[in-house]
Amino acid sequence: LLDINRSIEMANFYIGFNQWSSSITCLTQDGFEYNETTLQYRCVHTCTVTFMLKDGRKTEGKGQGTAVGKDKFNTIEFSKKNA
């Protein structure tokens, strides 16, 4: 797996700072549950991102993020961020 910050750093280095862009094209919540035993929430999100070059070429990538925590709101937000 390649961390998003490392991906951006590499794109800027090899392609050039203003020569590319990216956008989130889809973000879905794939699962959400509360465990009565551990008193924790578990949330899963999937994200599709489109990566575009200035010359019109583009590609898509998908990522999935999972988070577990005691706070419902923070668990959902962290899952989105991880996706």
Side-chain angles (χ1 to χ4, degrees), residues 20-78:
W20 65 276
S21 63
S22 64
S23 63
I24 295 173
T25 54
C26 184
L27 179 64
T28 58
Q29 184 173 308
D30 299 326
F32 185 78
E33 60 187 37
Y34 181 69
N35 187 318
E36 298 277 341
T37 307
T38 63
L39 305 175
Q40 290 187 324
Y41 295 95
R42 181 178 183 275
C43 190
V44 179
H45 278 85
T46 299
C47 182
T48 303
V49 175
T50 302
F51 176 82
M52 297 156 287
L53 296 177
K54 291 283 183 180
D55 67 6
R57 291 181 287 169
K58 64 182 177 178
T59 187
E60 284 188 342
K62 284 193 175 188
Q64 188 175 57
T66 303
V68 177
K70 294 193 183 274
D71 181 79
K72 184 178 181 180
F73 177 79
N74 287 335
T75 302
I76 292 169
E77 291 302 308
F78 193 63

